[in-house]
Amino acid sequence: MSASSHPHFSPELLQMARWLAGDFCNREQAWENPPFFAQIRVAYRPLPTPALSGIGFYVEQAYGGHLEDPYRQAVVELRQTRSGMVIRNYRPLEPERWRGCAREQPDRLRHLQVADITYLPGCDVHVQQQGSRFVGATEPGQKCCVVRKGQTTYLQTRIELSENQLSSHDQGMDPTTHEQVWGALAGAFRFQKITDWQSELPMISGI
Amino acid sequence: MSASSHPHFSPELLQMARWLAGDFCNREQAWENPPFFAQIRVAYRPLPTPALSGIGFYVEQAYGGHLEDPYRQAVVELRQTRSGMVIRNYRPLEPERWRGCAREQPDRLRHLQVADITYLPGCDVHVQQQGSRFVGATEPGQKCCVVRKGQTTYLQTRIELSENQLSSHDQGMDPTTHEQVWGALAGAFRFQKITDWQSELPMISGI
């Protein structure tokens, strides 16, 4: 499959995909602020097959010393829409089936199909290019529902992506008072890319 | 040396020393709140010799997966004063000399002398027994000066200690505005004791 067969992948969407494809760590942030930032690893592994119409990634997020036990597994899809770029979020129906696929066994992602994931409505992240970075935020509407410790909240995410850095800020808000219930009070996580997987993007590598 | 030779060590001070002597981890808190709490280990290793007139501990605090590289090394001393119990804080003059003494090589603490540490004025933690726990806070006066990233702040610490739990909350405050500049915005670290060293307390074991 060549890039020309994906006319809906704009140069900026492909740029975002290249920058996102990789394994990220916020080690510097943790060492600069002990003990107030956990050391986190987040991996965006390109999906090897076009299971989704956009550019798909399998995502694992884990504490630095516990990669084998991710606290978050997701599939995201970069899409170009008429109103701009969007990151769509999906949850795997059987997370344990995909555990380890971000780093140790990416080959198993060949088996991932649309039926294996469920779309999370209200959780699209709308992205804009601003100079040499991409900036995104959860779509308006306060509909990205997250139940945490029995409490219903809505998720507000902000991300910034540049060539080797990803920052993300998640906040869980009370749907009535709109006050923050959970999340990073200390601010965004600042990740540096430590492994680059852009060559695995099927629409770029031509594989 | 027997307990009777330390008439100034009240039963409550000895109780606090027993509960403090150990290695602590906040693993549960980290797993309950991913990714918003770093996993921290803090060790209070009893000093094997009476270098200080009170009950002394060598302290190392580190990120969970990086015990060999503690971001904080300290000596603390529990003392009974006329106005109550106090935790005095000291900084080692050559921290690298004592690195690893909290867990791997506690024997080397036999060489630690008063000349190896410097007292931190204004940083005493005043402690009261409240039921089955000890509660402490930095002494009034806003004099516990901490320079962090080039900014001068004063430290406010709150601790709670019970038989198997230690919670601590450090905040760095702006000396002019009294607003928080650094520290755990998300609240206290809640540690569980994972190794007990109370039998090493010289005034208790009689060694």
Side-chain angles (χ1 to χ4, degrees), chain A residues 71-195:
Chain A
Y71 60 79
R72 176 176 168 242
Q73 295 169 261
V75 168
V76 302
E77 177 191 20
L78 313 191
R79 268 204 202 177
Q80 192 81 40
T81 71
R82 287 188 185 180
S83 57
M85 294 179 289
V86 164
I87 304 175
R88 288 162 62 93
N89 282 275
Y90 301 82
R91 181 186 298 132
L93 297 176
E94 301 174 274
E96 63 286 354
R97 189 176 157 201
W98 310 105
R99 190 162 291 188
C101 287
R103 299 182 187 84
E104 296 298 313
Q105 301 182 296
D107 288 351
R108 287 201 284 119
L109 293 173
R110 277 175 303 161
H111 306 297
L112 192 141
Q113 298 180 332
V114 172
D116 296 320
I117 58 179
T118 182
Y119 174 64
L120 301 176
C123 299
D124 286 6
V125 173
H126 291 188
V127 180
Q128 293 190 313
Q129 189 164 17
Q130 294 183 358
S132 60
R133 58 183 193 162
F134 296 94
V135 178
T138 306
E139 65 181 285
Q142 307 171 345
K143 292 280 191 298
C144 184
C145 177
V146 174
V147 179
R148 201 166 164 127
K149 295 185 178 182
Q151 187 170 1
T152 298
T153 60
Y154 65 90
L155 173 66
Q156 281 188 337
T157 291
R158 290 199 302 276
I159 66 158
E160 275 191 33
L161 176 67
S162 57
E163 187 166 3
N164 292 302
Q165 283 207 58
L166 169 67
S167 84
S168 72
H169 193 177
D170 291 342
Q171 293 178 297
M173 313 299 282
D174 184 298
T176 306
T177 66
H178 305 291
E179 289 181 348
Q180 185 169 347
V181 176
W182 57 265
L185 294 162
F189 286 100
R190 292 195 329 269
F191 301 99
Q192 272 80 41
K193 192 184 273 195
I194 58 173
T195 309

Side-chain angles (χ1 to χ4, degrees), chain B residues 130-149:
Chain B
Q130 292 184 359
S132 59
R133 58 184 192 160
F134 296 95
V135 177
T138 306
E139 65 181 286
Q142 307 170 345
K143 292 280 190 297
C144 184
C145 177
V146 175
V147 179
R148 203 167 162 124
K149 296 185 177 182

Side-chain angles (χ1 to χ4, degrees), chain B:
Chain B
M1 189 177 318
S2 69
S4 61
S5 67
H6 291 284
H8 56 297
F9 293 163
S10 66
E12 60 177 5
L13 197 75
L14 290 168
Q15 176 76 287
M16 179 161 64
R18 283 191 196 95
W19 288 355
L20 197 57
D23 195 0
F24 296 84
C25 183
N26 70 332
R27 187 181 297 128
E28 285 177 31
Q29 181 178 42
W31 286 111
E32 284 171 8
N33 300 280
F36 306 115
F37 274 95
Q39 193 169 304
I40 304 297
R41 288 273 296 275
V42 55
Y44 285 83
R45 195 90 199 199
L47 291 182
T49 55
L52 301 161
S53 64
I55 305 177
F57 295 85
Y58 169 68
V59 184
E60 281 187 6
Q61 197 156 342
Y63 281 118
H66 301 274
L67 299 186
E68 73 292 351
D69 198 7
Y71 59 80
R72 176 178 169 240
Q73 294 171 260
V75 168
V76 303
E77 178 190 19
L78 313 191
R79 268 204 202 176
Q80 192 81 40
T81 70
R82 287 188 186 180
S83 57
M85 293 179 290
V86 165
I87 304 175
R88 287 162 63 92
N89 283 274
Y90 301 82
R91 182 187 297 134
L93 297 178
E94 301 174 276
E96 62 286 354
R97 189 176 157 202
W98 310 106
R99 191 162 290 188
C101 286
R103 300 181 185 84
E104 296 298 312
Q105 300 181 297
D107 288 351
R108 288 201 284 120
L109 293 172
R110 276 176 303 161
H111 305 297
L112 191 141
Q113 298 179 333
V114 172
D116 296 319
I117 58 179
T118 183
Y119 174 64
L120 301 177
C123 299
D124 286 5
V125 173
H126 292 187
V127 180
Q128 293 191 313
Q129 189 163 17
Q130 292 184 359
S132 59
R133 58 184 192 160
F134 296 95
V135 177
T138 306
E139 65 181 286
Q142 307 170 345
K143 292 280 190 297
C144 184
C145 177
V146 175
V147 179
R148 203 167 162 124
K149 296 185 177 182
Q151 188 170 1
T152 299
T153 60
Y154 64 90
L155 173 66
Q156 281 187 339
T157 291
R158 292 199 301 276
I159 66 159
E160 276 192 33
L161 177 67
S162 57
E163 187 166 3
N164 291 303
Q165 283 209 57
L166 170 66
S167 83
S168 72
H169 193 178
D170 291 342
Q171 292 178 298
M173 314 298 283
D174 184 298
T176 307
T177 65
H178 306 290
E179 289 182 347
Q180 183 168 348
V181 177
W182 57 265
L185 294 162
F189 286 100
R190 293 195 328 267
F191 300 99
Q192 273 81 42
K193 191 183 275 195
I194 58 172
T195 309
D196 194 333
W197 292 320
Q198 65 170 283
S199 65
E200 296 182 11
L201 286 161
M203 61 292 299
I204 287 172
S205 66
I207 292 166

